[in-house]
Amino acid sequence: MARRRLDLACGLGLLSRLPVNWLLSPAQRASTALWPLSRSIWCWPVLGAALGGLVGAVFCLLRLCHVAALPAAGLALAFQCVLTGGLHEDGLADMADGCGGTTRERRLEIMRDSRIGSYGVLALCLSLLVRASAVAALPACAAMLALAISGCLARAALLVLPASLPPARPDGLAHSLTPLPRGPLWVGLGLAAGSVVGLAGGMGLSGTWADASIGTQAGAWTFVWTGAGTGHPSALFTTLLICLVAAGATLAAATFVGFAARRLLGGYTGDVLGAAAVLTECCILAGLTALL
């Protein structure tokens, strides 16, 4: 139990700015040993789902207070940046700036520069625009679950890239994850899959999208899955469709970032992982709006 608590503290300390000392035993608090970052990867997707759910809860509370959808989404994302410290957004901006370099060495040098360039600003603005408009387009309850799903799979993408790419540098976050332990990797991916299925099932069972145009878009398939041919998708069909869209969006974002990292940098860095997380969230949230 103490080992699992240390893993949770390590993951929570990396992915958020929340206090973690309460998770540690007195001996662990007094220890000066390095935290087992690579061993903690199993809990990243679950923590991502919890953080996304908190952001979604803020959005729901603002909507209950009759705040308009787009300002409520913007404020919820502002809360997310405070909650996570903008860690992934910083990685996205750095990777976008690095793409302007002409050589691998120059790109890595630019990515380590604390200054932000025009590419980084554009990437941040566009990512916030996509996420805020997508959240605003979803019903409040659906948005909360969608943010939990996107948060979960965004952190799952952080497990896939280190498993398929070498570190681009001999130091930094990427180096500390190498070699990636296979046991925690498969546990993390399994927990991610289970969490997404459960959250998607909650969306289907809640009937949030019962009257949405998904019934029209699905066409003849809805007759099969509803059983009664009512024209509205059943909970099972809705759950399956949400899972497929979320998984496809995650695969597309991770593949794109992984291909760019291999070609431009020769591997992954911490900034690459941050960029993958943000782009995954953008793709998932945008994809879910297509179901409405």
Side-chain angles (χ1 to χ4, degrees):
M1 183 60 68
R3 181 175 177 176
R4 297 293 173 262
R5 288 169 57 186
L6 180 59
D7 291 346
L8 288 170
C10 186
L12 193 61
L14 174 68
L15 300 177
S16 76
R17 291 297 177 263
L18 295 175
V20 298
N21 281 342
W22 59 276
L23 284 168
L24 303 176
S25 66
Q28 289 170 340
R29 293 175 192 173
S31 175
T32 58
L34 294 177
W35 283 11
L37 181 62
S38 61
R39 197 185 71 196
S40 72
I41 60 175
W42 66 268
C43 67
W44 291 7
V46 177
L47 293 175
L51 294 173
L54 286 175
V55 176
V58 170
F59 176 74
C60 286
L61 288 174
L62 291 172
R63 294 294 287 138
L64 287 174
C65 295
H66 302 288
V67 178
L70 190 56
L75 290 171
L77 290 178
F79 172 74
Q80 182 186 47
C81 291
V82 172
L83 192 63
T84 63
L87 175 68
H88 302 318
E89 285 77 9
D90 178 70
L92 174 66
D94 286 341
M95 186 174 181
D97 281 335
C99 290
T102 55
T103 64
R104 173 182 177 275
E105 291 73 20
R106 178 55 181 159
R107 294 181 191 111
L108 291 172
E109 180 184 350
I110 293 173
M111 290 169 65
R112 274 210 161 147
D113 194 333
S114 60
R115 294 170 295 181
I116 184 171
S118 56
Y119 287 174
V121 171
L122 288 171
L124 285 176
C125 291
L126 290 173
S127 70
L128 289 171
L129 175 63
V130 170
R131 284 181 288 171
S133 57
V135 170
L138 295 170
C141 291
M144 182 172 65
L145 293 173
L147 283 165
I149 290 173
S150 65
C152 177
L153 290 179
R155 276 64 178 192
L158 304 189
L159 311 185
V160 175
L161 290 180
S164 55
L165 293 174
R169 294 193 183 101
D171 57 356
L173 176 63
H175 179 72
S176 65
L177 291 176
T178 304
L180 199 68
R182 296 296 170 177
L185 170 64
W186 289 113
V187 171
L189 294 178
L191 289 174
S195 299
V196 170
V197 171
L199 292 167
M203 296 174 75
L205 291 173
S206 66
T208 303
W209 291 347
D211 297 322
S213 61
I214 183 175
T216 302
Q217 294 176 19
W221 286 103
T222 57
F223 183 87
V224 177
W225 286 93
T226 56
T230 61
H232 297 305
S234 67
L236 176 60
F237 179 77
T238 302
T239 300
L240 177 61
L241 203 54
I242 292 170
C243 290
L244 289 175
V245 169
T250 303
L251 181 62
T255 301
F256 173 77
V257 175
F259 176 79
R262 184 181 293 276
R263 181 175 181 181
L264 298 177
L265 306 173
Y268 77 99
T269 66
D271 290 331
V272 170
L273 297 183
V278 175
L279 289 180
T280 300
E281 288 189 359
C282 290
C283 290
I284 292 173
L285 293 173
L288 291 178
T289 62
L291 302 182
L292 293 177

